[in-house]
């Protein structure tokens, strides 16, 4: 009874927010087995994990919508972490998918611009995590393209160029970075991609996505070190 009275009469408990910002790999990450759902599970009682994934988006469109998602007057308290996870669509081949394709230099500039915007609304670079596009299983993706009446519109080597640009922007801006393109191909033969990729991970539900995105990364360790709520002192 005393605990119930304490909870009813105490101040509102505020959970820190983690904002996941990205394309379809983020949008669908809260499906059963998805990396977003796994991250939210790991951070239960520590953080609220917010999904702001937009299927089909590239960095050109992401940069436009970001100020409508978070700002000083947005009502969203400054998040303790923001993941920026784009590149799978930007790296589409221009000749085959001009709508989604974004030139490499513009892609890097858009990432840099989004980091700078976040800094301007009170999210320092230490709270931003850039995530590179994942590797592409070209054979599997080509089957999907053919089934939809298209030719292969992405190449893993091209995706790698965008991943390298993402890493460079992170180094220039001082943010954390997760190089999925490299990590998910460790131990593979050159030119092969035996693990999950855009084809299998587009829904965000592969075990390797969860392992890399929710595993023992510096930024996840930082979030896991936050105290669980409500603690004993908050009930006093």
């Amino acid at each position: 009874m005393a605990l119930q009275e304490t909870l009813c009469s105490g101040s509102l408990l505020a959970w820190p927010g983690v904002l996941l910002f990205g394309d379809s790999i983020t949008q669908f990450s809260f499906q059963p087995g998805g990396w977003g759902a796994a991250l939210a599970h790991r951070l239960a009682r520590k953080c609220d994990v917010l999904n702001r994934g937009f299927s089909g988006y590239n960095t050109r469109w992401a940069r436009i919508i970001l100020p409508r998602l978070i700002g000083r007057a947005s009502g969203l308290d400054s998040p303790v972490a923001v993941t920026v996870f784009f590149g799978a669509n930007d790296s589409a081949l221009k000749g085959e998918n001009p709508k989604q394709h974004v030139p490499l230099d513009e892609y890097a500039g858009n990432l840099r611009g989004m980091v700078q915007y976040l800094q301007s609304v009170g999210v320092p670079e230490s709270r931003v995590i850039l995530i590179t596009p994942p590797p592409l299983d070209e054979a599997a993706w080509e089957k999907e393209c053919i089934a939809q009446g298209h030719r292969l519109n992405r190449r893993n080597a091209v995706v790698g160029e965008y991943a390298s640009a993402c890493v460079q922007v992170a180094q220039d801006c001082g943010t954390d970075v997760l190089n999925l393109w490299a990590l998910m191909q460790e131990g593979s033969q050159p030119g092969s991609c035996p693990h999950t990729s855009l084809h299998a991970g587009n829904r965000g539900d592969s075990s390797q996505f969860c392992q890399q995105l929710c595993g023992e990364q510096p930024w996840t360790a930082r979030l896991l070190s936050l105290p669980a709520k409500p603690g004993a002192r908050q009930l006093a």
Side-chain angles (χ1 to χ4, degrees):
M1 187 68 176
L3 175 60
Q4 182 179 0
E5 292 176 352
T6 299
L7 288 172
C8 292
S9 62
S11 59
L12 290 175
L13 297 172
W15 265 253
V18 175
L19 184 68
L20 309 183
F21 184 41
D23 52 32
S24 61
I25 303 174
T26 298
Q27 178 177 324
F28 301 127
S29 69
F30 272 47
Q31 292 183 344
W35 68 270
L39 182 64
H41 175 71
R42 290 199 72 188
L43 296 177
R45 289 187 60 188
K46 294 178 180 288
C47 299
D48 282 336
V49 180
L50 307 177
N51 187 331
R52 296 296 181 267
F54 300 87
S55 180
Y57 266 50
N58 55 30
T59 55
R60 183 181 296 158
W61 305 330
R63 189 172 180 179
I64 294 172
I65 201 174
L66 181 58
R68 302 180 67 178
L69 303 178
I70 182 171
R72 291 190 182 279
S74 67
L76 174 66
D77 290 338
S78 181
V80 292
V82 177
T83 62
V84 180
F85 189 0
F86 291 96
N89 296 318
D90 299 70
S91 59
L93 302 178
K94 182 178 181 180
E96 300 297 331
N97 190 352
K99 181 178 180 180
Q100 290 183 307
H101 170 79
V102 171
L104 187 60
D105 288 347
E106 182 186 346
Y107 167 73
N110 288 337
L111 288 179
R112 187 173 290 105
M114 287 189 279
V115 172
Q116 292 171 346
Y117 172 77
L118 289 169
Q119 292 172 324
S120 74
V121 295
V123 183
E125 64 276 6
S126 60
R127 298 184 185 179
V128 179
I129 305 96
L130 299 186
I131 305 175
T132 76
L136 178 72
D137 183 337
E138 288 187 15
W141 187 253
E142 186 172 23
K143 290 180 181 178
E144 287 202 9
C145 291
I146 293 173
Q148 297 175 19
H150 307 300
R151 295 190 299 179
L152 180 66
N153 57 19
R154 289 171 170 83
R155 293 285 186 185
N156 191 44
V158 175
V159 177
E161 295 175 4
Y162 283 73
S164 296
C166 179
V167 171
Q168 186 61 56
V169 170
Q171 292 174 349
D172 294 343
C173 295
T175 71
D176 283 339
V177 64
L178 181 61
N179 189 347
L180 275 185
W181 189 85
L183 288 171
M184 295 177 70
Q185 296 181 98
E186 286 183 349
S188 304
Q189 295 296 322
S192 69
C193 183
H195 305 302
T196 186
S197 66
L198 177 63
H199 170 73
N202 195 40
R203 301 179 305 277
D205 63 356
S206 81
S207 60
Q208 197 181 25
F209 261 72
C210 291
Q211 178 183 350
Q212 298 294 350
L213 288 161
C214 308
E216 299 308 315
Q217 304 293 341
W219 65 281
T220 53
R222 186 167 64 247
L223 297 176
L224 287 167
S225 69
L226 295 172
K229 295 175 179 290
R233 290 184 178 179
Q234 291 170 299
L235 300 180

